[in-house]
């Protein structure tokens, strides 16, 4: 892909900031409407296939797939006992990575924590600064939200409803399914609507045992709904169909792009229209405003490598830097007309920040599979998803909202959960005997969107580019902790009911941020006093400014956010293109 030079003399129809799921989708939709779009990405365009090397065997890697010795990735304990920005105590590590950056394949994708500091309460903030952002390495679980989420306040009185219903977004979920490809099985669940699925993957033996046992409890286990094309996409020459190579296991992307990533799924096709200019290494530091009208006039960015400053203009500015970076950018963009930061007359920018709580789960053994020959169980992009079952028909006495479990079973390249001890031939035999019998799952639960959970700018700490860092004021609350206790109990109960031998039950709650599902820092709503954006992710205050990533979410639901981010973004960009044509922006 040839990057175009930014034309500083030109006024683009639209500037999109960030090239992940949201920015890529904005680029795709707006260029297909014929708009002249400039896409600005803070990181590099990486030779991604060389980075990922999905089929490399561990013994062909000098570090067996681990980080080089001069680098360190933060552990659970380090997140809980050390304070960001991780100064003393880490002197030996030249490069410091978040917990997800523990492999050699991700070292250039995930940011260096020292160059990108943040402060405040503990938070495992995972960022990928490169073309495509986190979509290069995401876990691909692609779920829809429903009116159980959009109208959650009607059910339990907490928070706010979204200004949209499922029927508003459903046609856009369909478009995303068809354009990007998704695998799964229809279940007809009102609280987890079906997608337009391609060929499904298969559940393996222990997973079927669990599914059947859960059905007796009225609970639903379904195939992992993955944002992966299993049938291929005739309209996209950059992506292959999934060959079930089993490399999905190795948190580190898919080098044949069967799994959705923003560059091959959205950005390269958008460039083929001739309407997209791409500038990487462009760290946007401010959205500029017209002093007369107070409307957005463009952006100021700094070159990642040369540190040179640039200003570029557009009729519309679209913020898609990811939930936390987008909030940071709005707060950084202070002016006479917008002294609180851009789009922030409500004071809600950075607030109502929410995500998913993780940690509790269970690992066990399907007794009937111990000692059986190995099977190819990781030749697929995911195992199973056990759907939400709390606070649907009945009210749980201890907490509101819900959680689901992601899990899998069987043989993998590196045996899991065998709990084998010892050494030598006996140890090997123990591992071999048990590895195909493994079954495990972990929960993801809704963290309530509360005003008092927020981010703002640190008055002192700056990043490598001299831009003020983000400061966290964020903690799980009582509802989340009570939900986590229930996750642990139900996980054990369900494995026992399935007849599995339990190897480990964990109730440990992982550090805030672990789920990498950030949402809510510029929520949408009908009232400009209590929300930042309208239902089309358009700022209430600045009509030619749109924020199209997870920032707009009103609550977190317990379903993973990326498919919803892209569907909402598509809907908003259709509206934007129409409004621009009508001269309303
Ligand atoms: C390991 C992992 C597993 C995951 N699993 C799942 C899953 O199973 N299901 C799911 O739904 N989601 C999952 N996610 C989350 C998913 O990746 C995100 O929801 C999605 O990528 C969000 O898209 P985004 O565009 O908002 O942000 P990103 O993908 O992070 O993209 C934002 C882009 O903006 C750029 N940027 C930031 N600041 C600036 C700036 N100032 N100027 C210019 N550019 C800027 C960044 O460099 C980045 O490229 C996972 C994430 C990770 C890391
Ligand atoms: S299993 Fe499919 S989606 Fe996963 S890495 Fe292999 S080809 Fe890609």
């Amino acid at each position: 892909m040839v990057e175009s030079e930014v034309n500083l003399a030109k006024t683009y129809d639209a500037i999109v900031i960030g090239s992940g799921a949201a920015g890529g989708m904005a680029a795709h939709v707006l260029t297909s409407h014929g708009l002249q779009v400039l896409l600005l990405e803070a990181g590099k365009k990486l030779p991604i296939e060389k980075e990922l090397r999905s089929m490399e065997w561990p013994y062909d890697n000098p570090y067996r797939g681990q980080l080089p010795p001069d680098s360190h990735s933060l552990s659970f304990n380090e997140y809980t006992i050390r304070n960001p920005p991780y100064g003393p105590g880490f002197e030996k590590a030249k490069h410091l990575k978040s917990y997800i950056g523990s492999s050699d394949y991700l070292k250039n994708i995930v940011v260096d924590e020292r160059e990108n500091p943040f402060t405040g309460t503990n938070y495992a903030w995972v960022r990928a600064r490169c073309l495509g952002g986190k979509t290069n390495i995401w876990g691909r679980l692609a779920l829809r939200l429903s009116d159980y989420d959009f109208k959650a306040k009607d059910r339990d009185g907490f928070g706010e409803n979204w200004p949209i219903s499922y029927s508003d977004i459903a046609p856009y979920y369909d478009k995303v399914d068809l354009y990007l490809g998704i695998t799964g099985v229809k279940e007809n669940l009102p609280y987890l609507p079906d997608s337009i699925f391609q060929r499904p993957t298969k559940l393996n033996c222990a997973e079927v045992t669990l599914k059947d046992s859960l059905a007796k409890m009225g609970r639903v286990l379904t195939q992992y709904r993955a944002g992966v094309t299993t049938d291929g996409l005739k309209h996209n020459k950059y992506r292959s169909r999934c060959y079930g190579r089993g490399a999905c296991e190795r948190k580190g992307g898919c080098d044949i792009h069967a799994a959705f990533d923003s560059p091959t799924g959205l950005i390269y096709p958008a460039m083929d229209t001739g309407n997209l200019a791409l500038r990487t290494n462009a760290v946007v530091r401010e959205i500029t405003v017209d002093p007369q009208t107070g409307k957005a006039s463009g952006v100021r960015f700094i070159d990642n490598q040369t540190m040179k400053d640039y200003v570029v203009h557009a009729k519309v500015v679209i913020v898609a830097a990811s939930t936390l970076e987008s909030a940071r950018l709005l707060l950084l963009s202070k002016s006479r007309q917008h002294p609180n930061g851009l789009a922030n007359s409500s004071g809600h920018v950075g607030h109502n920040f929410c995500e998913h709580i993780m940690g509790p789960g269970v690992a066990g053994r399907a007794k009937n599979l111990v000692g059986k020959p190995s099977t190819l169980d990781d030749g697929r992009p995911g195992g199973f998803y056990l759907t939400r079952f709390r606070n649907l028909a009945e009210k749980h006495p201890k907490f509101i909202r819900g959680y689901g479990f992601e899990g899998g079973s069987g043989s993998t390249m590196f045996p899991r959960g065998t709990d084998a001890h010892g050494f030598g031939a006996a140890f090997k035999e123990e591992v071999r005997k048990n590895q195909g019998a493994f079954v495990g799952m972990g929960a993801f639960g809704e963290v309530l969107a509360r005003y008092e959970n927020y981010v703002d700018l640190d008055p002192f700490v700056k990043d490598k580019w001299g831009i003020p860092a983000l400061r966290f004021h964020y903690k799980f609350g009582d509802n989340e902790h009570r939900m986590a206790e229930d996750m642990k109990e139900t996980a054990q109960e369900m494995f026992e009911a399935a007849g599995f031998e339990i190897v480990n039950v964990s109730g440990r709650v992982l550090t805030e941020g672990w789920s990498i599902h950030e949402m809510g820092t510029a929520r949408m709503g009908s009232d400009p006093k209590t929300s930042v954006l309208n239902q089309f992710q358009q700022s209430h205050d600045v009509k030619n400014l749109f924020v199209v990533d997870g920032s707009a979410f009103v609550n977190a639901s317990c379903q993973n956010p990326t498919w919803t981010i892209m569907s909402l973004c598509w809907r908003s960009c259709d509206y934007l293109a129409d409004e621009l044509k009508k001269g309303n922006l």
Side-chain angles (χ1 to χ4, degrees):
M1 279 298 126
V2 182
E3 272 193 48
S4 11
E5 278 296 303
V6 179
N7 184 345
L8 297 175
K10 176 169 171 171
T11 299
Y12 289 91
D13 288 328
I15 291 176
V16 177
I17 306 165
S19 68
M25 183 53 81
H28 159 61
V29 179
L30 297 177
T31 54
S32 64
H33 279 289
L35 269 58
Q36 293 294 308
V37 179
L38 173 63
L39 178 60
L40 296 175
E41 165 53 49
K44 301 189 188 99
K45 178 183 180 314
L46 292 170
I48 204 76
E49 294 78 11
K50 285 194 192 143
E51 295 291 331
L52 297 176
R53 288 165 280 147
S54 303
M55 298 314 288
E56 182 176 90
W57 288 99
Y59 47 75
D60 286 331
N61 184 289
Y63 315 110
R64 300 292 182 265
Q66 300 301 302
L67 273 178
D70 65 349
S71 302
H72 177 72
S73 98
L74 291 160
S75 68
F76 170 74
N77 283 338
E78 285 165 345
Y79 278 115
T80 52
I81 60 168
R82 308 263 186 202
N83 289 332
Y86 307 106
F90 293 95
E91 293 86 355
K92 282 190 207 139
K94 194 167 156 208
H95 302 290
L96 196 60
K97 302 283 173 176
S98 65
Y99 82 92
I100 212 80
S102 61
S103 98
D104 189 41
Y105 308 106
L106 303 194
K107 63 178 187 290
N108 297 319
I109 295 176
V110 175
V111 300
D112 191 315
E113 300 284 306
R114 288 221 187 80
E115 291 180 355
N116 297 274
F118 56 94
T119 64
T121 47
N122 286 329
Y123 195 81
W125 190 12
V126 173
R127 290 154 289 172
R129 269 205 172 180
C130 58
L131 188 69
K134 297 193 288 283
T135 66
N136 290 299
I137 53 171
W138 73 307
R140 303 126 192 183
L141 185 59
L143 302 174
R144 293 186 177 201
L145 269 55
S146 75
D147 282 337
Y148 284 73
D149 308 301
F150 296 127
K151 304 297 172 197
K153 183 186 180 186
D154 289 347
R155 300 176 57 77
D156 56 31
F158 183 85
E160 297 293 337
N161 284 329
W162 294 52
I164 58 164
S165 300
Y166 179 68
S167 57
D168 295 309
I169 190 178
Y172 289 92
Y173 275 129
D174 289 354
K175 282 174 190 274
V176 173
D177 292 345
L178 294 172
Y179 194 66
L180 299 178
I182 176 169
T183 164
V185 171
K186 284 193 192 289
E187 302 283 357
N188 286 316
L189 305 170
Y191 55 88
L192 183 66
D194 293 321
S195 279
I196 303 172
F197 295 119
Q198 298 191 353
R199 176 177 55 83
T201 55
K202 287 200 171 117
L203 294 176
N204 60 31
C205 186
E207 292 167 353
V208 172
T209 305
L210 183 59
K211 182 182 172 80
D212 292 347
S213 161
L214 288 167
K216 291 182 204 142
M217 303 167 91
R219 296 178 188 173
V220 180
L221 179 150
T222 191
Q223 272 91 332
Y224 198 81
R225 293 182 173 179
V228 166
T229 172
T230 44
D231 290 334
L233 296 164
K234 288 209 173 75
H235 56 266
N236 188 317
K237 65 183 182 205
Y238 301 102
R239 298 182 58 196
S240 158
R241 74 180 173 85
C242 172
Y243 286 96
R245 306 168 303 160
C248 279
E249 268 287 306
R250 202 187 67 186
K251 2 171 238 270
C254 172
D255 62 1
I256 59 168
H257 313 290
F260 159 74
D261 58 63
S262 173
T264 60
L266 297 165
I267 296 172
Y268 300 168
M271 289 180 85
D272 290 339
T273 65
N275 295 330
L276 183 68
L278 168 66
R279 171 67 152 87
T280 51
N281 291 321
V283 184
V284 177
R285 60 185 311 160
E286 186 188 350
I287 299 157
T288 55
V289 291
D290 181 324
Q292 309 304 325
T293 61
K295 279 168 51 175
S297 57
V299 307
R300 188 181 294 280
F301 73 88
I302 183 166
D303 186 289
N304 193 345
Q305 308 293 306
T306 65
M307 298 291 196
K308 225 174 131 185
D309 243 318
Y310 297 88
V311 176
V312 58
H313 300 284
K315 293 178 194 158
V316 185
V317 173
I318 295 141
V319 188
S322 76
T323 296
L324 290 163
E325 289 288 10
S326 291
R328 182 179 175 205
L329 204 45
L330 295 177
L331 294 171
L332 284 166
S333 303
K334 286 193 179 126
S335 60
R336 188 173 49 77
Q337 293 92 337
H338 307 283
N340 241 356
L342 199 57
N344 196 21
S345 66
S346 65
H348 275 258
V349 170
H351 290 263
N352 314 302
F353 173 37
C354 52
E355 50 142 354
H356 295 147
I357 183 169
M358 275 179 79
V362 61
R365 265 192 283 263
K367 291 177 226 161
N368 58 334
L369 294 177
V370 175
K372 295 276 157 42
S374 295
T375 45
L376 175 65
D377 292 315
D378 57 356
R380 55 185 181 161
F384 65 79
Y385 185 65
L386 198 171
T387 69
R388 171 181 173 180
F389 49 85
R390 288 298 193 217
N391 294 313
L392 295 173
E394 291 161 0
K395 281 194 174 165
H396 195 278
K398 293 194 178 157
F399 60 89
I400 57 169
R401 309 293 162 95
Y403 58 87
F405 285 90
E406 294 179 27
S409 156
S411 308
T412 45
M413 185 190 283
F414 295 103
R416 301 172 291 184
T418 57
D419 196 34
H421 302 282
F423 55 89
F427 171 73
K428 287 182 189 165
E429 174 56 23
E430 222 12 52
V431 171
R432 276 201 196 98
K433 199 173 78 187
N434 287 309
Q435 68 132 337
F438 168 83
V439 52
M441 63 183 189
F444 286 70
E446 173 165 353
V447 175
L448 297 179
R450 291 181 282 127
Y451 183 81
E452 59 270 27
N453 268 340
Y454 72 102
V455 287
D456 62 3
L457 298 176
D458 190 288
F460 308 108
V461 177
K462 296 195 165 114
D463 69 13
K464 185 184 165 191
W465 301 272
I467 306 173
L470 213 52
R471 182 171 58 176
F472 286 74
H473 310 261
Y474 177 81
K475 281 273 163 225
F476 294 143
D478 291 344
N479 197 66
E480 286 83 55
H481 286 292
R482 285 194 293 260
M483 184 188 276
E485 281 167 27
D486 191 58
M487 292 166 168
K488 181 186 168 195
E489 282 165 24
T490 60
Q492 177 162 0
E493 163 197 272
M494 291 187 281
F495 267 35
E496 280 170 358
F500 297 147
E501 177 197 341
I502 293 188
V503 175
N504 179 45
V505 184
S506 173
R508 184 177 77 166
V509 170
L510 292 165
T511 313
E512 282 84 349
W514 211 272
S515 68
I516 329 180
H517 294 160
E518 304 104 16
M519 291 160 267
T521 53
R523 72 177 178 193
M524 52 161 83
S526 315
D527 182 356
K529 291 202 183 66
T530 57
S531 61
V532 178
L533 309 171
N534 69 14
Q535 60 158 312
F536 295 106
Q537 298 173 298
Q538 177 183 27
S539 156
H540 289 303
D541 301 345
V542 184
K543 64 183 177 181
N544 67 341
L545 179 77
F546 291 73
V547 186
V548 296
D549 52 29
S551 313
F553 281 42
V554 178
N555 53 38
S557 142
C558 67
Q559 280 98 265
N560 307 39
T562 308
W563 230 240
T564 304
I565 291 175
M566 291 194 286
S567 307
L568 276 180
C569 174
W570 196 321
R571 180 174 183 266
S572 300
C573 289
D574 272 357
Y575 167 84
L576 184 166
D578 201 37
E579 287 291 286
L580 191 63
K581 270 183 212 143
K582 289 182 189 152
N584 290 344
L585 299 180

